[in-house]
Amino acid sequence: MADVTLEQARNIVAAALSKGRDLGLKPLTVVVLDSGGHMRAVEREDGAAPGRIEIAGGKAYGAVMLGMGGRAQMERAEAQAYFIAAANGALGGRMVPVPGGVLVKDGERVIGAVGISGDASDQDEAAALAGIEAAGLAAQP
């Protein structure tokens, strides 16, 4: 498989939003990108602030462009802030290096990324993981 398909992206979004409702999370925005960082699907729940699209997109973009999920990026930023600052500059300031950006994998191959914003970053990540798992794919936070 070359990239996350539209059907998989839609399934990820639906399952992630469902998980958010099950957990009682604040309104979420879910962005699914392909392996080149291009948008495959996006949904912003009623009540979610409009800026959440860019935040969720930044979480996913950083994950797919660096090949590491948002949790790993945050840990790297804590250990080597200069690296994440430089990478974010090189990527046009589009990264949001916190949990909630999760790589989507088919086996060992990265086929895309999911970014979620709306609640606490750990909760956003939980919804992303649930969405990816529901689509039958592997996740790397």
Side-chain angles (χ1 to χ4, degrees), residues 56-114:
K59 289 180 178 186
Y61 190 76
V64 79
M65 289 295 116
L66 292 182
M68 65 174 69
R71 183 167 298 280
Q73 291 174 56
M74 184 179 73
E75 291 168 1
R76 183 78 180 265
E78 290 168 348
Q80 296 177 311
Y82 60 87
F83 171 78
I84 293 297
N88 203 8
L91 295 172
R94 293 178 57 190
M95 292 173 42
V96 179
V98 297
V102 180
L103 290 171
V104 180
K105 299 177 90 175
D106 181 25
E108 289 301 310
R109 187 178 186 302
V110 173
I111 61 169
V114 175

Side-chain angles (χ1 to χ4, degrees), residues 4-137:
V4 63
T5 67
L6 180 58
E7 180 179 358
Q8 289 169 326
R10 287 177 172 162
N11 289 337
I12 290 168
V13 169
L17 293 176
S18 178
K19 181 67 169 182
R21 288 188 295 275
D22 290 347
L23 294 173
L25 303 184
K26 294 175 185 172
L28 300 177
T29 297
V30 182
V31 172
V32 180
L33 303 180
D34 66 17
S35 65
H38 305 286
M39 196 173 295
R40 294 294 288 159
V42 61
E43 283 197 28
R44 181 173 61 91
E45 286 187 302
D46 293 342
R52 296 294 182 170
I53 294 171
E54 284 75 16
I55 295 168
K59 289 180 178 186
Y61 190 76
V64 79
M65 289 295 116
L66 292 182
M68 65 174 69
R71 183 167 298 280
Q73 291 174 56
M74 184 179 73
E75 291 168 1
R76 183 78 180 265
E78 290 168 348
Q80 296 177 311
Y82 60 87
F83 171 78
I84 293 297
N88 203 8
L91 295 172
R94 293 178 57 190
M95 292 173 42
V96 179
V98 297
V102 180
L103 290 171
V104 180
K105 299 177 90 175
D106 181 25
E108 289 301 310
R109 187 178 186 302
V110 173
I111 61 169
V114 175
I116 299 186
S117 180
D119 208 284
S121 292
D122 289 339
Q123 298 288 24
D124 294 342
E125 181 181 83
L129 294 171
I132 295 166
E133 180 180 305
L137 298 165

